[in-house]
Amino acid sequence: MTIYSHIQNAVNTKRKLLAVLIDPDKFQLENTKQFILKVNASIATHIFVGGSTVQQNATHALVIEIKKYTQLPIVLFPGDVTQITGRADALLFLSLISGRNPDYLIDKHVKAVQTLKGLNLEVIPTGYILIDGGQITAVERVTKTKPMVVSGLQDIANTAKAGQLLGMKLIYLEAGSGAKQAVSFETIKQVKQDVNIPLIVGGGIKSKIQINEAFTAGADMVVIGTAFEKDETFFEAINEVGERKKINTSIA
Ligand code: 1GP
């Protein structure tokens, strides 16, 4: 079974998913074992690897190291073509549909094709929507696109719907790593109402209350990076969010 069908399956059976995001640029390779053992013992269901700017080969080396210690699916969340490695299980093929920069709408994807040839990597087309999180984040800086304004609820939902109609398999609502304000309850709710593909939400989520709020609003998967980077005791805190219901991670 593919990573995507596992996600769909979780959505259909109303199981919520949680991804721990590891940015190779901010992570010490020698900490991998102790960090991943904490991930394994938590309610996390996926490991995402990626960042806005990552040194060449750092992602590949990190994914190999992570794989030694976990059965959880490793999904690439790349800021750039150089972050693609066949050692991961899947790739979020992100098109930044909230922006109008052709580089992040299609050009990076064209450049990725040569790298993807011959790799046994599940590619999941994902509509990536940057929403104002109260400060300028790395995504905005690197992609040179403006985030969507929080007040434009219907615009955000229409953007997500357009992504679905273009054939994208996931929608990712992103407030930006370390955002002051996470994606709002109303935004998640509106998008969930208008699209019927799995919905990922990330950026600035750093408490159990916020995780539950995102899930209640309609997020199928929540992504958290900074909160774990800053304080690994957060792993224990989130375990009270819900019972661990691990999805079957075998890949057909
Ligand atoms: C960023 O959505 C992710 O791309 C996670 O954000 O680092 O704020 O958890 P945080």
Side-chain angles (χ1 to χ4, degrees):
M1 204 184 263
T2 62
I3 303 293
Y4 184 68
S5 48
H6 278 298
I7 294 174
Q8 277 184 311
N9 196 262
V11 174
N12 293 340
T13 54
K14 300 201 185 324
R15 281 175 300 137
K16 298 295 183 181
L17 304 170
L18 190 128
V20 176
L21 172 65
I22 304 177
D23 183 340
D25 212 35
K26 298 184 193 158
F27 191 81
Q28 301 294 322
L29 205 58
E30 56 272 22
N31 286 346
T32 309
K33 184 176 178 184
Q34 62 93 19
F35 189 84
I36 296 301
L37 293 181
K38 285 187 180 158
V39 176
N40 290 341
S42 78
I43 58 165
T45 55
H46 292 71
I47 296 172
F48 280 12
V49 180
S52 296
T53 50
V54 174
Q55 279 194 339
Q56 186 105 21
N57 295 326
T59 306
H60 183 72
L62 180 58
V63 169
I64 290 174
E65 194 63 14
I66 293 170
K67 273 262 173 223
K68 290 184 192 165
Y69 306 110
T70 190
Q71 298 281 316
L72 291 175
I74 302 177
V75 179
L76 298 176
F77 174 62
D80 197 73
V81 182
T82 58
Q83 294 176 39
I84 297 174
T85 164
R87 301 303 283 267
D89 300 305
L91 161 75
L92 296 188
F93 209 39
L94 302 164
S95 182
L96 185 60
I97 57 176
S98 55
R100 297 296 176 267
N101 181 348
D103 287 355
Y104 291 88
L105 281 165
I106 182 67
D107 193 58
K108 300 263 180 200
H109 313 75
V110 174
K111 292 191 170 119
V113 169
Q114 208 54 39
T115 308
L116 288 171
K117 273 184 191 163
L119 294 185
N120 186 22
L121 194 56
E122 180 186 336
V123 177
I124 309 175
T126 304
Y128 191 47
I129 300 178
L130 182 62
I131 297 167
D132 189 11
Q135 66 191 69
I136 294 175
T137 57
V139 187
E140 179 176 349
R141 259 198 317 273
V142 171
T143 65
K144 299 185 178 63
T145 65
K146 286 279 161 218
M148 298 193 78
V149 291
V150 179
S151 57
L153 270 192
Q154 198 56 56
D155 268 357
I156 296 171
N158 289 352
T159 302
K161 187 70 183 178
Q164 180 187 342
L165 294 173
L166 279 166
M168 283 153 190
K169 301 288 184 207
L170 295 171
I171 293 295
Y172 191 135
L173 300 179
E174 171 72 274
S177 190
K180 272 191 202 151
Q181 291 141 26
V183 180
S184 74
F185 185 93
E186 292 71 26
T187 305
I188 300 170
K189 193 171 165 216
Q190 185 70 53
V191 172
K192 185 66 182 176
Q193 206 170 291
D194 289 6
V195 306
N196 44 13
I197 49 176
L199 183 59
I200 303 179
V201 176
I205 297 176
K206 43 192 174 304
S207 71
K208 282 192 294 179
I209 292 171
Q210 285 176 299
I211 296 172
N212 279 328
E213 196 175 82
F215 283 149
T216 308
D220 298 303
M221 179 189 279
V222 163
V223 183
I224 299 178
T226 308
F228 294 122
E229 272 165 28
K230 286 199 173 153
D231 178 10
E232 289 180 22
T233 63
F234 190 52
F235 281 113
E236 286 121 57
I238 59 159
N239 280 348
E240 294 153 38
V241 168
E243 262 178 67
R244 184 183 176 115
K245 288 176 185 161
K246 248 177 101 170
I247 60 172
N248 179 1
T249 56
S250 63
I251 307 156

